[in-house]
Amino acid sequence: MSSLAAARADNFYYPPEWTPNQGSLNKFHCQHALRERARKIDQGILIIRFEMPFNVWCGGCNSMIAKGVRFNAEKKQVGNYYSTKIWNFTMKSACCKHEIVIQTDPINTEYVIISGAQRKTEEFDIEDAETFALPADEERGKLADPFYRLEHEGEDLWKKKEAERVLVRLQQLSDARHSDDYALNKALRAQLRNQKKRVAEEAAVAKKLGLGIRLLPATEEDAATAARMKFSSKFEMNRKEKRALINSASIFPGSSGSSMSADKKCLELGSKRRKIKAGRASELLTGGFRP
């Protein structure tokens, strides 16, 4: 990029017709410093990138919009809570272009959905999530009362002792597992070497069989399934054809068709035998026969 193009890209290019008494470049070009983001600035609206604070269901097509998805939202002030401003964000979902309106809630320090979507309810068990239950708002207010704290002091001490035992056991277990870093590293590297060796052997077997993918290790279930599989061989096909020929032939020996076919087969067998005998005799004469 040339120096002139770089200057224009950084908005530092001053054209020849500009004079210092005309002010800044934005004033000279009759544009806002935020360009397209400020196209509704006269209405108190600023275009920003808004990130969805939680999982929601779209009100238009009932699709889920995950937490962290970003939108081009219109931000505007709709009120105040004491000295804190209340902001309103209006955006359109990417799935069906449905309008979603979200507003800040300074009282509860969170976001509130005004219209266009529904917050996904996600409940979890405290024990399964391995977290602590936070006290409710009423409980927090009661903690300021010294008599209430005195009544629940015994229960809190018991909870502390129970949690202390679990924490001590966890700390001991962690220390026992990670006391020798060299042994852990050695075991991990040995495991990785065995894994690489096994993968190389499987790749060699697959290449030998002409396969483009590695086969999993054989199991007892695979062996039992393979033993139950039966494929029709050439011998079985010939046996079935002969059986079908016998079943379709006449049971009377005097029939002309069956006698002719039997004579033909006998002649073919005789010619094959003569050829075999002649081949063996020629090998004996030439000395190429090996018993």
Side-chain angles (χ1 to χ4, degrees), residues 7-277:
R8 287 179 176 177
D10 296 334
N11 201 21
F12 294 146
Y13 174 71
Y14 291 85
E17 58 271 16
W18 177 84
T19 56
N21 57 1
Q22 292 178 342
S24 64
L25 287 175
N26 292 323
K27 186 177 180 181
F28 176 75
H29 292 295
C30 300
Q31 63 184 9
H32 197 272
L34 297 178
R35 306 297 174 86
E36 290 297 324
R37 292 175 53 194
R39 61 178 180 269
K40 296 182 180 180
I41 199 68
D42 55 338
Q43 305 174 19
I45 298 174
L46 181 65
I47 309 299
I48 65 166
R49 290 291 287 175
F50 181 80
E51 185 172 317
M52 190 63 67
F54 35 68
N55 297 331
V56 300
W57 297 104
C58 178
C61 59
N62 204 27
S63 299
M64 195 195 80
I65 302 174
K67 175 183 178 181
V69 178
R70 297 181 178 181
F71 300 89
N72 290 333
E74 296 181 355
K75 174 185 174 182
K76 65 179 179 179
Q77 183 182 354
V78 294
N80 288 285
Y81 176 72
Y82 294 104
S83 61
T84 304
K85 296 180 180 180
I86 300 176
W87 297 102
N88 183 283
F89 305 94
T90 305
M91 67 209 78
K92 291 186 178 180
S93 62
C95 48
C96 62
K97 303 301 180 183
H98 187 69
E99 188 178 84
I100 301 174
V101 181
I102 298 179
Q103 186 172 303
T104 58
D105 185 7
I107 302 175
N108 300 316
T109 64
E110 63 176 0
Y111 289 93
V112 179
I113 299 176
I114 303 301
S115 63
Q118 182 180 1
R119 185 169 181 174
K120 183 180 179 182
T121 305
E122 296 177 337
E123 298 180 354
F124 60 92
D125 192 0
I126 297 175
E127 296 181 357
D128 295 339
E130 298 180 355
T131 57
F132 293 99
L134 297 176
D137 296 337
E138 299 178 358
E139 199 76 16
R140 294 177 185 175
K142 292 180 180 179
L143 290 176
D145 187 1
F147 291 100
Y148 182 83
R149 291 203 307 268
L150 182 62
E151 290 176 359
H152 294 79
E153 187 176 0
E155 184 180 356
D156 295 339
L157 290 175
W158 179 80
K159 289 181 178 179
K160 177 184 176 182
K161 290 180 180 179
E162 291 294 327
E164 188 176 1
R165 295 175 185 175
V166 176
L167 292 175
V168 168
R169 288 198 298 267
L170 290 175
Q171 185 65 38
Q172 292 175 355
L173 181 61
S174 178
D175 294 341
R177 287 182 176 178
H178 304 90
S179 58
D180 192 355
D181 296 337
Y182 173 75
L184 291 174
N185 190 9
K186 182 179 178 181
L188 180 60
R189 291 174 67 86
Q191 182 180 358
L192 290 176
R193 281 195 296 269
N194 294 334
Q195 183 179 0
K196 288 182 179 180
K197 184 178 179 181
R198 180 175 54 82
V199 170
E201 291 176 355
E202 292 175 358
V205 172
K207 185 177 181 181
K208 185 178 180 181
L209 297 175
L211 301 176
I213 57 175
R214 293 188 293 108
L215 297 178
L216 295 176
T219 60
E220 296 180 358
E221 185 179 358
D222 297 337
T225 305
R228 290 195 300 267
M229 295 296 294
K230 292 184 178 180
F231 299 96
S232 59
S233 60
K234 189 175 181 181
F235 173 78
E236 291 290 335
M237 294 175 61
N238 294 336
R239 187 175 67 83
K240 290 180 180 179
E241 290 178 358
K242 290 180 181 179
R243 178 64 63 181
L245 182 61
I246 292 172
N247 293 333
S248 62
S250 177
I251 60 175
F252 301 103
S255 60
S256 59
S258 62
S259 60
M260 290 177 64
S261 61
D263 295 340
K264 187 176 181 181
K265 289 182 179 179
C266 291
L267 291 174
E268 290 180 356
L269 289 174
S271 62
K272 289 181 179 179
R273 289 173 182 172
R274 287 193 295 272
K275 289 180 180 179
I276 292 173
K277 290 180 181 179

